[in-house]
C-alpha cells in the first residue's frame, strides 16, 4: 500500500469518526405526510471526481426519477466529468461542481457548499454512506426528507449484494420510503447507464468498422489501471495470447488510456479517444469488454456492454460490473481457465440475447 493511499485511508477513518453522529438530530417527516407526486426537487450528493464513481451514481439517479415522476434532480459532485455522464438525463436539472483541487480554488469551493442552502428540496440523498462530506452536506441542505445513508442491518440481512456501492443507496432509499408509508418497491435495480443516443451508437459503429475492417464480432480489452490495480505486461500478454487462441473468429482490439500505454505492447489494433461518450459508443458496438477494475470498466458497463472485470486489490463485492451478463473475477482465487470460462459464458449470453 502506498504512503498516499495509507494517508487517505487514515484521513477517511478520522473523518467518519468525527461525522458519524451528523444528522442524529434530524427528524424525518411523519408517516404518510409525503406523497410521491409531491417530490419534485431532489438533491443527490456524491462529491467525488472519479469517472467510475460518477458512473456508479447513475443507478441511484434512475431510481429517483423512476420513483418520483414529477421530480428533477440537482447533483452535487466534484470535477466536470458528471456533465458528459448525465448529458442525456433530461431531468438532471443542475450540476453543482466542486473544484477538483479545493485549496487552489477556495472561493469556488466555499461557494459550492453555500449554494446547497440556497434552495429548498423535497428530498436530499447522500449517495455514499462512507462519505463524510456527503453526510455534512446532507445535514446542511434544506429538505423535507433527508437520507444520510446510515447502515441498515435489515438491508445487510436481506440483500446479499448490499455492499455494492451502486446498490446500497437504492436499497437504503427504498427502506426509508417504505418506513414513511410509500409502496414497497421490489423491482430489479437499475443498471449503470450513460444513456447513449442512437446517433452516438452509430458513430461508434463507424469508428469501430474503420478499425477492424471486417464483419467479425469484436472483443475489446483495456490493459491499464491505476496503482496496484494494474496487471503486469507479462500477465496481459499471456492472457491476450490465450484470447487469440480461443477466439480466432473474433477481432480483439485494445482501447488505450490517455497515457498511450499498452500492456501488450500495441500488438492488437487499438484506438483512443478523449470523449467518454464516444468511447462508450465504440464499446457499445463490441461483444464484450475486458479490463481490470477502473473507471473505463464502469464506462463499458454504463454502455450496457457485457464486462469481465478483474479484481486483485479492490473488493469486487463493492465495485463489480453487473447486469448484461457481466462478471467480476478475483484473480487471487481464479486462474486463466476460469477467466476463459467466464468469457465463454458472456459470449454465449450475448449470442442468446441477439
Amino acid at each position: 500500500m502506498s504512503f498516499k493511499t495509507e494517508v487517505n485511508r487514515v484521513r477517511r477513518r478520522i473523518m467518519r469518526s468525527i461525522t458519524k453522529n451528523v444528522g442524529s438530530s434530524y427528524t424525518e417527516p411523519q408517516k404518510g405526510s409525503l406523497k410521491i407526486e409531491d417530490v419534485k426537487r431532489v438533491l443527490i450528493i456524491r462529491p467525488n471526481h472519479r469517472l467510475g464513481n460518477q458512473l456508479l451514481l447513475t443507478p441511484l439517479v434512475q431510481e429517483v426519477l423512476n420513483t418520483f415522476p414529477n421530480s428533477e434532480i440537482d447533483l452535487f459532485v466534484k470535477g466536470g466529468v458528471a456533465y458528459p455522464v448525465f448529458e442525456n438525463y433530461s431531468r438532471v436539472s443542475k450540476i453543482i461542481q466542486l473544484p477538483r483541487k479545493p485549496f487552489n480554488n477556495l472561493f469556488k469551493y466555499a461557494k459550492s457548499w453555500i449554494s446547497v442552502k440556497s434552495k429548498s428540496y423535497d428530498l436530499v440523498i447522500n449517495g455514499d454512506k462512507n462519505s463524510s462530506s456527503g453526510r455534512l452536506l446532507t445535514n446542511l441542505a434544506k429538505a423535507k426528507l433527508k437520507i444520510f445513508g446510515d447502515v441498515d442491518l435489515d438491508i445487510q440481512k436481506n440483500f446479499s449484494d448490499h455492499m455494492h456501492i451502486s446498490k446500497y443507496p437504492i436499497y437504503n432509499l427504498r427502506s426509508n420510503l417504505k418506513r414513511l408509508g410509500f409502496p414497497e418497491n421490489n423491482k430489479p435495480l437499475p443498471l449503470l447507464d450513460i444513456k447513449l443516443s442512437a446517433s452516438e451508437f452509430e458513430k461508434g459503429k463507424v469508428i469501430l468498422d474503420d478499425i477492424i475492417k471486417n464483419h467479425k464480432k469484436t472483443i475489446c480489452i483495456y490493459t491499464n489501471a491505476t496503482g496496484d490495480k494494474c496487471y503486469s505486461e507479462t500477465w496481459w500478454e499471456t492472457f491476450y495470447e490465450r484470447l487469440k487462441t480461443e477466439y480466432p473468429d473474433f477481432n480483439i482490439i485494445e482501447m488505450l488510456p490517455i497515457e498511450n500505454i499498452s500492456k501488450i505492447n500495441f500488438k492488437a489494433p487499438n484506438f483512443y479517444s478523449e470523449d467518454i461518450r464516444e468511447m462508450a459508443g465504440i464499446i457499445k458496438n463490441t461483444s464484450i469488454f475486458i479490463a481490470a477494475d477502473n473507471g473505463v470498466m464502469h464506462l463499458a458497463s454504463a454502455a450496457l456492454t457485457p464486462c469481465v472485470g478483474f479484481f486483485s486489490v479492490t473488493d469486487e463485492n463493492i465495485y463489480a460490473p453487473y447486469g448484461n451478463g457481466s462478471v467480476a473475477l478475483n484473480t487471487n482465487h481464479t486462474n486463466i481457465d476460469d477467466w476463459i470460462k467466464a468469457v465463454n459464458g458472456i459470449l454465449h449470453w450475448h449470442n442468446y440475447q441477439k
Side-chain angles (χ1 to χ4, degrees), residues 164-177:
H164 198 281
I165 195 169
S166 281
K167 297 180 181 182
Y168 184 85
I170 298 173
Y171 288 136
N172 192 244
L173 172 62
R174 291 180 177 184
S175 176
N176 277 269
L177 293 179

Side-chain angles (χ1 to χ4, degrees), residues 70 72 95 117 130 330:
N70 296 334
E72 289 190 342
I95 295 177
K117 286 189 69 70
N130 294 316
N330 188 314

